[in-house]
Structure formats: C-alpha cells, structure tokens
Amino acid sequence: MPSYELNDTIYALSSGLGKGGVAVIRLSGKAVPAALYQLAGLEAPRPRYAYFRPLRRQDGTLLDRALVLFFEGPHSFTGEDVAEFHVHGGRRVIQSVLTALGDIAGCRPAERGEFSRRAVLNGKMDLTSAEGLMDLIDAETEAQQAQALSQLSGRLGALYEGWRTELVRYMGYLEAFIDFPEEEIPPEKLAEIDAHIHTLIHEIAGHLDDHRVGEKLREGFQIALLGEPNVGKSSLMNALTQREVAIVSQIAGTTRDVVEAHLDVAGFPVILADTAGLREDAGEIEAEGIRRAVKKASEADLILHIQNSETYPSVKPLPEAIRSVPILTVWNKADLRKDLPADVLCLSAKTGEGIAALWDAVKGILNDTFGKKDGLITRERYRVALQECVYALNGALGNEALELKAEDLRMAARALGRITGRIEADELLDVIFQEFCIGK
Ligand SMILES: Nc1nc2c(ncn2[C@@H]2O[C@H](COP(=O)(O)OP(=O)(O)OP(=O)(O)O)[C@@H](O)[C@H]2O)c(=O)[nH]1
Ligand SMILES: [Mg+2]
C-alpha cells in the first residue's frame, strides 16, 4: 500500500528517465527550504527566480552545478513549497541528487501521480484537469493534444461544477422547507425547480449523446482491414504504414494474428489492424485467426473491406457480427484491371496508385467523426457518473415528497462531484493517480 502521507516532503525525477541534456528533479512539501539550504546553500531564496548553484551532499562532495528554482506555496503546482533542480541529465548525477534529497529529514520518493494528487487536494486543479494533464503527457497527435489542453484548462470541470452548484442550490432550497415544516413550499416554486431539473436532464443527455468521440480521440480510431484471403490486405497494411509490418505472400491464409500499427493521420490517432483473410474451409489455426479478425472488425470504428479488382463487381457479404460497423469498400490490385468505374475506390498496394485517394476518404471520415468539437466526455468514468446523475434527477422529478426529492438531488450532485473530485474519497483518488507516472 503506497504512502500518501501529506506531511512528507516528496521528490522525484520529473523529466523522462535516461540520458539527456537536462533533467528536472522536483520536490514538494515543508522540507523544501531545508533542502534548498542543504543542497544548494540557498537561504530564503527568492521565489520564481533562477539560481545557478553548485549542489553538494552533506559531506561537501560536489554533485553537479544546476539551475535551482523555488516556488513558494500556495503559488506552485502542488500548492505547497516546491523546488526544481535542473541538473545535467546523466544517470549518476540524477541518482546522486535523489539520494541526497532522501537524506534530508522528512523527504521521501513520490508515489505515482502524487504531485498532481496534492495539487487536487490543495484545490489547485480539479480531477478532470489532472486527468487532462495525464492525457497531455500521453498525447501523440495534434487532436489529442488539443483535447488534453482544453481539459487541462478546466473547461470540462467547470461544466460539471456548474451543474453541481445548480443542484446544490435547489437542494438547499428544498432543505429549508424540510427544516421548517410549518412553512408550505409555494407550488410555483416547486414547479420552477422541476423545470430546471428537466432542462438539466436534457443538457446532460445531450452531452452524453456524443458517440464516444472524446474517448475515441484518447484511445485511437480503430480501422480494420478485412476481406478474403490473398486480396492484398497485408500488402495494403504495409503500403499505408510505409513499413514491412505484415508478411505478404501469394499463399492464401498467410496472416493469422491481428497485426496492429499506430498512425497519425492528419493529427488524429489511428490504429490500423491487418487481419486474417475470411474463408469457410480454413484449418484449425487459420479458423482461429478468422475468429479474431471478425472480433477485431466488430469492435472497429471503420472497416476497410478489401476486394480484388479482378473479381469486380462481385462482393461477398461480410459476417453478420460486423454489419453495424461503417464499411468502406476498397478494390485492390487495380494494376491488374483498368475498367472499373471512376466512382469506385480502387487502388494498387503494389504500385501505390489510388493510395492517396484512400487516405483522402479516411481523412474525410476522421474529420466528420472528430470535427472541431470541444468539451467532450473523455473517460468512461465520467460517462458512468453522468448516467447516474441523470437517473437520480429523473428520480427527483418523480418524487413528490420533499425529503425524497432532496435526497435524489443529493445523489445527482454527488455523482457530478465524483467526476471533479469534490468529494472525500481516497479510494477514488488512489485509482485515478495510479495511472500517472512518477514525478507528475
Ligand atoms: N498485382 C498486384 N498484386 C498484389 C497487390 N496487392 C497484393 N498483391 C499480391 O497478392 C498476394 C497476396 O497479398 P497479401 O497482402 O499477402 O494478401 P492478404 O489479403 O494479406 O492475404 P492473407 O493474409 O492470406 O489473407 C501477394 O502475392 C501480393 O504480392 C496489388 O495491388 N497488385
Ligand atoms: Mg495477410
């Protein structure tokens, strides 16, 4: 069980592990001034001022010459006193400075995400912002970066907090009448609250009806290459990724495992999957490959149904399980047949003709899916809480008794509070910050 003791001063390497020009070691907590004095000889340092100092351990040995910064709480990332040591990014230097920090009374290595956890506990940011920060660090494409930055700015948190505050207001109003039963609540006031709850349900339902675009943007848009054996799925996979990701051969049934590649397509994250060719009379291993192919495709956001141009226009229907996934039919081996109509998406994985047109079609679909939307639900945990909130709000509408109505509103507000971290639940924090890396 990790220790999250708040009285401890925590330290960690905040930059990536490995050799580099500079590495940043961060320290947060009450022992920061002592550490700055002992390591860098700084007494009462000026906040937000860059000092260039020799760093020495207690026996006087020189460890490095480093840039040292002090951020005085509460004007810091965590809200506590924070120090940063920008040391030379070598293993020995980093290790020796970390060891020297460990020798200072009250200092211990930070747990995963513990800096951000303290920032949340000290009200420097809400949970959705902290999760936005985590997404920003994980972001690999432009669209992911934009979504993470928006969430980090607190936009999503503010939306949920706004709704929660509204509910708390109605709750307070109802409770005033519960506490003074001799007063009758004016019926028009009750109707007004119900009308507000209606509007809120409508708003949250609209927010929930997002086709999981925000989550998809975090996790990647899944495209599966599917079709009969030998139509050139693996060849196309290699052409699209410009790498020899999958084995290509003229033997039907070459691919068995699902082979995936991560791509950045016009700023959107795409996970491309090559799969086993679909056919009836397959042997045991190939049949398992086909089962996996169908499963992968049924979970995909888009299927590229690859066909052989030589057999145009005959198309074998795809299995039932995947009919609900959007399908783009692609005619490969166009180099072998020239008489396909102009409106048909045909290409050659061999010569490269038509590949650009396929990319254009895919980019169009990605733009339609992700568009320029902002403030989306980015995590299943938000979705679950929002559904609970709507459920409780519907309960509140159905309850005539003030006590029950107020209790439903409390449940609804609590569900929203769970998203932004406005409740005392260490357990929830444990789950969330475990996903973070050390030093964040
Ligand atoms: N002429 C021509 N041949 C192609 C083209 N694409 C693939 N091929 C050939 O078709 C054969 C099968 O290619 P693969 O990419 O292995 O086909 P696949 O669909 O992955 O096959 P399985 O893995 O068995 O399902 C190989 O001999 C390729 O060289 C193309 O555009 N034009
Ligand atoms: Mg293949």
Side-chain angles (χ1 to χ4, degrees), residues 22-33:
V22 177
V24 178
I25 292 168
R26 186 151 58 169
L27 183 72
S28 176
K30 295 189 184 73
V32 161

Side-chain angles (χ1 to χ4, degrees), residues 236 304-308 328-332 345-347 358:
L236 186 57
L304 297 186
H305 189 186
I306 316 298
Q307 309 277 341
N308 186 341
L328 191 62
T329 304
V330 177
W331 296 86
N332 187 33
L345 189 56
C346 56
L347 53 80
L358 172 60

Side-chain angles (χ1 to χ4, degrees), residues 223-234 236 258 272-279 289-300 302-308 315-323 325-332:
I223 302 180
L225 298 170
L226 205 66
E228 287 173 57
N230 250 348
V231 293
K233 298 178 297 300
S234 300
L236 186 57
V258 173
L272 199 60
D274 180 25
T275 64
L278 308 176
R279 63 171 162 183
I290 293 171
R291 201 190 60 76
R292 292 181 189 197
V294 171
K295 179 166 186 293
K296 189 82 214 167
S298 67
E299 293 162 357
L302 175 68
I303 290 172
L304 297 186
H305 189 186
I306 316 298
Q307 309 277 341
N308 186 341
V315 178
K316 252 210 164 162
L318 288 170
E320 199 70 48
I322 39 190
R323 298 256 174 89
V325 181
I327 295 167
L328 191 62
T329 304
V330 177
W331 296 86
N332 187 33

Side-chain angles (χ1 to χ4, degrees), residues 143-194:
Q144 287 177 320
Q145 179 184 21
Q147 175 164 281
L149 279 170
S150 159
Q151 192 168 323
L152 173 59
S153 78
R155 215 196 124 161
L156 200 57
L159 176 70
Y160 300 146
E161 260 314 290
W163 286 339
R164 199 184 68 90
T165 321
E166 209 176 314
L167 289 178
V168 170
R169 228 184 30 244
Y170 306 147
M171 234 162 67
Y173 194 81
L174 293 183
E175 261 154 22
F177 285 96
I178 295 168
D179 290 343
F180 298 99
E182 58 278 8
E183 292 254 353
E184 273 287 317
I185 188 162
E188 65 277 10
K189 191 68 206 176
L190 209 52
E192 191 191 313
I193 291 181
D194 277 359

Side-chain angles (χ1 to χ4, degrees), residues 228-235 237 246-249 251 253-257 259 274-277:
E228 287 173 57
N230 250 348
V231 293
K233 298 178 297 300
S234 300
S235 304
M237 175 80 173
I247 299 172
V248 167
S249 92
I251 303 164
T254 301
T255 307
R256 271 92 189 275
D257 289 314
V259 179
D274 180 25
T275 64

